[in-house]
């Protein structure tokens, strides 16, 4: 009898232990749901489901309110006891109407979006699977919330709220990707990220400098890559996917494979993707100025201009790319979580297409202009610790080392001299973030950041006829750029319906640059800068009723001078020499925004956000003095001295609107539109429309979903930019624009109609197909160098296990 009782008690204990595993499934299909988030504020607890739709929930045992959410599904608010009563089994109902999913980009910590005063947009993984974006830039653009500029096919420079390039911030697994050579001109670093290895993407709109520091003026793009998942039983969990894809507009061939192997304390994930893109074909209906009638090739040591057999094919624009990722995760107990990640991306050479369509005396200006392989490598260690002590409840340490390699190769047509400029950046960073709950109403978030960039820049001039090479002028000085910061944010909830937040950050930034006077005879060899920046934010969120949320936020942001700013010493005009300014300080933005989100009868969601932004102390060239002199002898002539100075400003305002409607029989209708208007001060003191405030743009979608099928008809569209409204800088680029009746450059408005389908024809097999740009429009998005794809057939097959 004693043995029977002992056995019964042991079985009960095992059953109780097993009962702590929650399984979540799709209500319509019964399929397990991966990456469902569970969040409890009191006490704090957070977890996500694995590939089997399971997660350990014993850490929620004292929680009276658990927020269970996933994009594309109705959020459930349940207590631990309710989950226990349901036998730790839960079904989520598909729904596009959602207000309170969990976001991380606003504070680096998991929190409900309804507690965030700033606008945050999450790009759903299901939507990414349906859209099948070729690059991370396309992933952002498919949301209809971010405008993407492309100088070439191997590119993608986001524009958000009138800002772009080094005034936006990118993070990967919480690590800043921006470097000291991010420039004011368009950049393409975002294509180093692999959409297949991205499990969560967020866009934080407006200044984010309190949490992220320099460059976070217009917004923050946060990419979370695949997280290794643990097994919740004694048996290991093995899951993954294999994907192959073809696209007709650029003869794309892509393959991807990832695998997760997890035990109870150890887990590993491996991911690899390979892409090959051919020359991009434009549409048939649009401006003839966009056609490519001829291109340059080299025969018998001579540059030859040849007729393009198909003027719609943009030669040269093809390239290839490979992405690899390896992660290791170790969780010895509930208090500690260690995660190491290795990322590597490399492209082939790829032509800068907008340079290939520059002409001189009716002929192409360049015989060659291409970027060398763009390489990115990151090693990062992430340590999470949860404890309840006087200093913190949660602590995260992020240590990262990154290496960026990029180069530019150019040669004028039928000229022997080839210029090769190579840049390497070694970036190191450490972030220490803490979270502490004070009483029942306050949550304190605070931390420190250290960043160091070492820039190595070299120049090489080659004579392609003789084969001789010699050192050339480098693009940048050899430099070190550093940033050191402390921040503090307090979130106060006087009631369940109101959330207030306030934060501040102090940042010290330093720059040391060594100049090589072998090519430029400047009377200096060294420049340094050491200054500070103080930023802050103040916001409030009010849940007026259960389905109506209103928010207001005031924030400042800053961008500290980087090596690209100081390196402009190498840009000189006739009779002008530009020298470094060690007193150059950060430029600031001051932003105010208000938003409202309203869900009506759980079938309609309307959201509207308005904002006003002032950029102050912007860095522009102005007359300067060096050692008391306003002119100096440079390269044999007396030249006026100029320097970058904090002397300009810009004003931007805009509206962002969205609506989602659940229709009968599984149909949904959604639409998002963005309007922004900006004016900026130029180097000569005059004003111009802001270069990085594109015309209005948006997306509208009609979607039908059933248990195994997802169909979507959608339209992407953008307004025109007439010559009178063109930024002055854009007027100087006639090669990338259409020509109006007066012979002036302008950017026509455009639209595309598109259809996508995804069908799961077996438990582990899914086929996706799409027809993009159904009407074969020939269009070039504002400020882009390359024309967008014409009619494009996409076919993809995915196998999961």
């Amino acid at each position: 009898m004693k043995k029977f009782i002992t056995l019964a008690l042991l079985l009960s204990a095992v059953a109780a232990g097993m009962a702590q595993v929650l399984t979540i499934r799709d209500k319509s299909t019964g399929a397990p749901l991966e990456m469902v988030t569970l969040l409890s504020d009191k006490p704090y607890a957070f977890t996500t489901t694995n590939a089997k739709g399971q997660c350990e929930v014993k850490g929620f045992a004292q929680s009276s309110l658990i927020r269970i959410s996933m994009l594309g599904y109705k959020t459930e608010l349940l207590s631990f006891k309710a989950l226990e009563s349901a036998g730790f089994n839960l079904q989520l109902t598909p729904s596009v109407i959602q207000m309170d999913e969990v976001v991380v980009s606003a504070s680096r910590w998991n929190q409900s979006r309804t507690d965030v005063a700033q606008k945050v947009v999450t790009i759903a993984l299901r939507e990414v699977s349906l859209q099948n974006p070729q690059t991370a830039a396309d992933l952002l653009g498919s949301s209809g919330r971010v405008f993407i500029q492309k100088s070439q096919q191997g590119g993608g420079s986001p524009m958000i709220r009138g800002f772009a390039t080094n005034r936006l911030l990118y993070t990967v697994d919480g690590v800043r990707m921006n470097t000291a050579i991010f420039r004011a001109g368009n950049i393409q670093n975002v294509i180093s990220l692999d959409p297949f290895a991205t499990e969560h993407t967020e866009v934080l709109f407006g200044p984010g400098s309190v949490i992220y520091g320099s460059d976070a003026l217009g917004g923050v793009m946060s990419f979370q890559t695949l997280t290794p998942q643990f097994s919740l039983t004694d048996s290991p969990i093995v899951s993954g996917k294999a994907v192959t894809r073809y696209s007709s507009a650029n003869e794309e061939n892509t393959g991807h494979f990832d695998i997760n192997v997890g035990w109870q304390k150890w887990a590993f994930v491996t991911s690899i993707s390979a892409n090959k893109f051919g020359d991009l074909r434009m549409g048939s209906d649009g401006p003839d100025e966009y056609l490519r009638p001829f291109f340059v090739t080299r025969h018998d040591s001579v540059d030859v201009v040849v007729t393009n057999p198909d003027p719609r094919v943009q030669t040269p624009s093809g390239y290839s790319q490979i992405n690899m990722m390896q992660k290791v995760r170790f969780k010895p107990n509930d208090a500690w979580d260690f995660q190491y990640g290795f990322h590597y991306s490399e492209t082939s050479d790829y032509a800068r297409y907008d340079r290939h369509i520059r002409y001189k005396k009716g002929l192409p200006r360049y015989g060659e202009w291409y970027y060398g392989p763009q390489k990115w490598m990151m090693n990062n260690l992430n340590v999470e610790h949860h404890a309840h002590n006087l200093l913190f409840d949660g602590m995260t340490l992020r240590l990262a080392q990154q290496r960026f390699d990029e180069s530019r190769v150019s040669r004028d047509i039928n000229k022997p001299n080839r210029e090769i400029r190579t840049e390497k950046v070694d970036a190191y960073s450490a972030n220490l973030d803490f979270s502490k709950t004070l009483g029942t109403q306050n949550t304190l978030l605070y931390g420190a950041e250290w960043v160091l960039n070492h820039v190595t820049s070299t120049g090489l001039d080659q004579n392609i006829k003789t084969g001789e090479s010699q050192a050339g002028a480098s693009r940048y000085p050899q430099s070190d750029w550093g940033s050191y910061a402390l921040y503090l944010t307090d979130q106060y909830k006087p009631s369940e319906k109101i959330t207030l937040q306030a934060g501040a950050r102090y940042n010290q930034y330093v720059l040391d640059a060594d100049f090589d006077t072998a090519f430029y005879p400047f009377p200096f060899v060294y420049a340094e800068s050491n200054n500070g920046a103080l930023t802050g934010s103040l916001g409030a969120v009010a849940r007026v009723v259960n389905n109506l949320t209103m928010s207001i936020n005031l924030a400042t942001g800053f961008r500290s001078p980087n090596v690209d700013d100081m390196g402009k010493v190498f840009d000189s005009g006739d009779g002008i020499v530009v020298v470094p300014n060690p007193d150059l300080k950060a430029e600031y933005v001051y932003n105010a925004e208000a938003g409202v989100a309203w869900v009506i009868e759980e079938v309609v969601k309307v959201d509207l956000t308005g904002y006003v932004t002032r950029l102050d102390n912007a860095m522009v060239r102005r007359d300067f003095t060096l050692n008391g002199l306003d002119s100096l002898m440079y390269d044999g002539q007396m030249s006026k001295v100029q320097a970058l100075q904090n002397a300009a400003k810009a004003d931007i305002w805009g509206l962002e609107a969205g609506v989602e409607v659940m229709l009968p029989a599984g149909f949904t209708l959604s639409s998002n539109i963005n309007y922004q208007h900006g004016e900026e001060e130029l180097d000569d003191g005059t004003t111009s429309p802001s270069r990085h405030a594109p015309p209005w743009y948006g997306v509208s979608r009609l979607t039908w979903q059933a248990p195994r099928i997802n169909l979507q008809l959608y339209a992407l569209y953008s307004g025109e930019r007439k010559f009178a409204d063109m930024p002055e800088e854009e007027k100087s680029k006639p090669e990338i624009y259409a020509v109006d009746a007066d012979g002036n450059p302008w950017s026509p408005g455009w639209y595309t109609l598109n259809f996508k389908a995804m069908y799961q024809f077996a438990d582990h097999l899914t086929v996706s197909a799409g027809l993009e740009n159904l009407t074969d429009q020939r269009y070039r998005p504002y400020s882009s160098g390359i024309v967008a794809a014409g009619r494009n057939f996409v076919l993809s097959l995915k196998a999961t296990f």
Side-chain angles (χ1 to χ4, degrees):
M1 186 65 179
K2 285 184 178 181
K3 290 183 178 180
F4 175 78
I5 294 174
T6 301
L7 180 61
L9 290 173
L10 287 173
L11 289 174
S12 298
V14 171
M18 293 179 63
Q20 305 299 302
V21 176
L22 173 67
T23 302
I24 303 179
R25 298 180 179 275
D26 184 304
K27 188 174 183 179
S28 60
T29 66
L33 295 178
E34 185 178 7
M35 294 307 299
V36 179
T37 62
L38 283 75
L39 175 66
S40 169
D41 292 331
K42 301 173 184 177
Y44 177 83
F46 176 81
T47 191
T48 60
T49 56
N50 62 19
K52 293 184 177 181
Q54 296 180 328
C55 60
E56 175 63 67
V57 293
K58 63 182 179 181
F60 295 83
Q62 304 302 317
S63 300
S64 58
L65 183 65
I66 305 172
R67 180 176 285 103
I68 305 171
S69 62
M70 182 179 183
L71 273 178
Y73 292 86
K74 182 181 178 181
T75 297
E76 297 288 345
L77 302 176
L78 299 170
S79 66
F80 181 83
K81 290 184 178 180
L83 294 176
E84 191 175 34
S85 299
F88 293 104
N89 285 286
L90 180 65
Q91 294 182 327
L92 295 185
T93 303
S95 174
V96 298
I97 307 297
Q98 196 166 21
M99 290 181 64
D100 53 0
E101 70 266 23
V102 174
V103 297
V104 298
S105 59
S107 65
R108 292 187 182 271
W109 295 93
N110 298 291
Q111 58 185 143
S112 171
R113 192 174 68 171
T114 56
D115 290 332
V116 178
Q118 282 183 268
K119 181 175 180 177
V120 181
V121 169
T122 302
I123 302 175
L125 191 58
R126 289 179 58 167
E127 187 65 27
V128 173
S129 298
L130 178 65
Q131 294 301 323
N132 256 323
Q134 292 186 346
T135 68
D138 296 333
L139 184 157
L140 292 167
S142 69
S143 69
R145 312 294 186 97
V146 178
F147 191 89
I148 300 297
Q149 180 276 351
K150 289 187 178 184
S151 297
Q152 63 281 326
Q153 187 176 194
S157 188
M159 297 183 183
I160 301 175
R161 291 190 174 184
F163 293 98
T165 62
N166 58 14
R167 289 170 175 162
L168 299 176
L169 187 77
Y170 305 80
T171 70
V172 183
D173 294 341
V175 177
R176 65 178 290 131
M177 195 180 191
N178 293 43
T179 73
I181 62 170
F182 268 38
R183 57 191 180 274
N186 297 308
I187 58 176
Q188 54 272 350
N189 298 74
V190 72
I191 69 168
S192 293
L193 305 178
D194 183 4
F196 288 112
T198 303
E199 69 182 17
H200 191 77
T201 305
E202 293 180 17
V203 181
L204 174 71
F205 291 81
S209 288
V210 169
I211 301 298
Y212 294 100
S214 180
D215 304 359
L217 303 186
V220 177
M221 289 156 284
S222 173
F223 299 88
Q224 176 63 48
T225 59
L226 297 174
T227 302
Q229 300 293 329
F230 296 111
S231 172
L232 301 178
T233 66
D234 291 334
S235 300
I237 181 174
V238 180
S239 62
K241 63 179 179 289
V243 183
T244 183
R245 183 177 64 213
Y246 168 79
S247 299
S248 64
N250 57 359
E251 299 295 330
E252 176 209 11
N253 288 286
T254 286
H256 167 79
F257 177 78
D258 66 67
I259 183 171
N260 181 99
V261 180
W263 290 266
Q264 290 182 323
K265 292 185 178 182
W266 288 91
F268 303 83
V269 64
T270 302
S271 172
I272 184 168
S273 298
N275 314 87
K276 185 178 181 181
F277 306 108
D279 292 335
L280 184 64
R281 180 190 298 271
M282 66 182 78
S284 59
D285 184 11
D288 289 342
E289 295 89 352
Y290 294 169
L291 292 171
R292 178 72 162 149
F294 46 76
F295 58 89
V296 177
T297 187
R298 193 161 180 84
H299 291 296
D300 298 326
S301 301
V302 177
D303 290 328
V304 180
V305 179
V306 299
T307 300
N308 191 349
D310 186 349
R312 292 168 54 199
V313 175
Q314 301 173 85
T315 304
S317 59
Y319 74 103
S320 60
Q321 181 169 340
I322 187 168
N323 286 78
M324 294 181 288
M325 184 187 76
Q326 178 65 56
K327 284 189 174 182
V328 181
R329 188 179 178 190
F330 174 56
K331 191 172 183 179
N333 51 52
D334 291 337
W336 290 94
D337 194 337
F338 300 85
Q339 190 174 156
Y340 164 77
F342 170 79
H343 303 258
Y344 183 79
S345 173
E346 181 176 350
T347 70
S348 64
D349 295 343
Y350 55 99
R352 180 162 177 179
Y353 184 77
D354 63 341
R355 291 294 186 262
H356 284 269
I357 58 175
R358 282 190 174 179
Y359 302 108
K360 188 175 182 180
K361 296 181 180 180
L363 294 175
R365 178 176 175 179
Y366 295 102
E368 298 176 327
W369 213 122
Y370 61 90
Y371 290 105
Q374 177 174 291
K375 301 177 184 179
W376 170 64
M377 181 189 70
M378 180 170 76
N379 292 279
N380 72 301
L381 176 66
N382 187 83
V383 180
E384 291 186 19
H385 179 51
H386 293 280
H388 297 287
N389 55 48
L390 291 175
L391 294 178
F392 62 86
D393 298 323
M395 180 273 292
T396 301
L397 173 66
R398 294 180 179 88
L399 303 175
Q401 176 266 328
Q402 299 179 80
R403 176 69 179 263
F404 300 82
D405 291 47
E406 57 185 58
S407 59
R408 296 162 176 80
V409 181
S410 62
R411 182 178 57 81
D412 288 348
I413 191 167
N414 283 322
K415 299 293 183 181
N417 188 53
R418 174 189 289 152
E419 296 182 350
I420 303 173
R421 302 297 179 259
T422 302
E423 283 74 53
K424 300 180 185 295
V425 180
D426 291 295
Y428 308 91
S429 62
N431 290 87
L432 189 58
D433 301 295
F434 299 95
S435 172
K436 178 62 180 176
T437 300
L438 303 175
T440 60
Q441 297 177 315
N442 280 78
T443 299
L444 201 63
L445 307 175
Y446 63 99
E449 181 183 66
W450 171 83
V451 179
L452 175 64
N453 283 192
H454 179 70
V455 178
T456 302
S457 183
T458 59
L460 183 68
D461 293 337
Q462 289 182 341
N463 188 308
I464 63 173
K465 288 188 174 180
T466 66
E468 295 178 348
S469 298
Q470 61 183 13
S474 61
R475 181 176 174 87
Y476 297 117
Q478 313 311 305
S479 312
D480 288 314
W481 180 88
S483 173
Y484 322 101
L486 297 171
Y487 78 90
L488 174 68
T489 296
D490 182 52
Q491 186 180 87
Y492 174 59
K493 285 188 174 184
S495 71
E496 288 297 322
K497 293 185 176 295
I498 297 176
T499 301
L500 306 175
Q501 68 85 23
R505 178 190 184 101
Y506 180 77
N507 220 110
Q508 192 73 18
Y509 50 90
V510 296
L511 174 61
D512 298 312
D514 293 309
F515 296 93
D516 185 354
T517 58
F519 300 97
Y520 299 96
F522 295 114
F524 49 81
V525 294
Y526 179 74
E528 63 178 345
S529 176
N530 189 341
N531 288 292
L534 180 66
T535 53
S537 63
L538 181 65
V541 181
R543 288 162 287 281
V544 181
V545 293
N546 287 338
N547 294 323
L548 176 61
T549 300
M550 303 178 71
S551 62
I552 186 169
N553 192 64
L554 306 174
T556 63
F558 78 97
R559 187 180 76 85
S560 64
N562 65 14
V563 175
D564 184 75
D565 301 312
M566 193 70 78
K568 289 177 181 176
V569 66
F570 299 121
D571 294 334
S572 59
D574 186 23
I576 296 174
V577 58
V578 183
V579 302
N581 177 8
D583 295 324
L584 199 61
K585 294 179 172 57
E587 52 186 18
Y588 280 84
V589 294
Y590 303 89
N591 180 78
E593 69 176 85
V596 59
W598 188 18
V599 174
I600 306 170
E601 300 295 332
E602 295 191 354
V603 295
V604 178
K605 178 186 175 182
V606 179
D607 65 81
L608 179 66
T609 303
Y611 60 90
V612 178
T613 306
R614 159 63 66 95
L615 173 65
D616 204 7
N617 282 340
M619 302 174 209
V620 293
R621 292 181 186 179
R622 293 285 192 270
D623 291 344
F624 194 65
T625 60
L626 182 67
N627 299 326
L629 301 175
D630 61 4
S631 299
L632 58 85
M633 189 63 65
Y634 169 70
D635 203 18
Q637 70 173 345
M638 187 61 67
S639 300
K640 179 184 289 187
V641 175
Q642 288 190 344
L644 279 180
Q645 300 177 55
N646 301 106
K649 63 181 183 295
D651 292 294
I652 303 157
W653 65 270
L655 294 170
E656 298 157 343
V659 62
E660 301 173 49
V661 182
M662 291 189 66
L663 301 173
F667 285 93
T668 60
L669 178 67
S670 66
S671 189
N672 292 288
I673 192 166
N674 308 268
Y675 176 83
Q676 51 278 309
H677 176 79
E679 282 196 354
E680 60 187 6
E681 189 175 358
L682 303 178
D683 289 349
D684 61 4
T686 61
T687 60
S688 166
S690 179
R691 174 192 174 196
H692 291 137
W696 61 268
Y697 63 94
V699 61
S700 297
R701 309 181 193 275
L702 177 64
T703 306
W704 180 71
Q705 284 185 274
R708 287 183 175 265
I709 192 168
N710 189 351
L711 305 178
Q712 187 177 100
L713 178 68
Y714 66 98
L716 296 167
Y717 39 82
S718 177
E720 66 180 9
R721 184 60 58 85
K722 295 180 179 179
F723 176 75
D725 300 322
M726 290 274 283
E728 289 301 315
E729 188 171 348
E730 295 301 302
K731 289 180 180 179
S732 65
K733 306 172 185 175
E735 68 273 7
I736 68 173
Y737 287 105
V739 179
D740 65 16
D742 297 322
N744 295 317
W746 75 300
S747 179
W750 55 267
Y751 75 92
T752 64
L753 296 176
N754 314 270
F755 177 75
K756 294 289 175 66
M758 185 166 63
Y759 176 60
Q760 184 181 353
F761 61 90
D763 287 343
H764 300 287
L765 292 174
T766 302
V767 62
S768 299
L771 195 57
E772 300 173 338
N773 196 356
L774 286 161
T775 57
D776 206 27
Q777 297 296 301
R778 183 188 304 151
Y779 70 100
R780 177 181 266 139
Y782 165 78
S783 192
S784 291
I786 196 164
V787 182
R791 186 180 294 118
N792 183 33
F793 175 68
V794 183
L795 181 64
S796 175
L797 180 66
K798 179 173 71 173
T800 60
F801 58 92

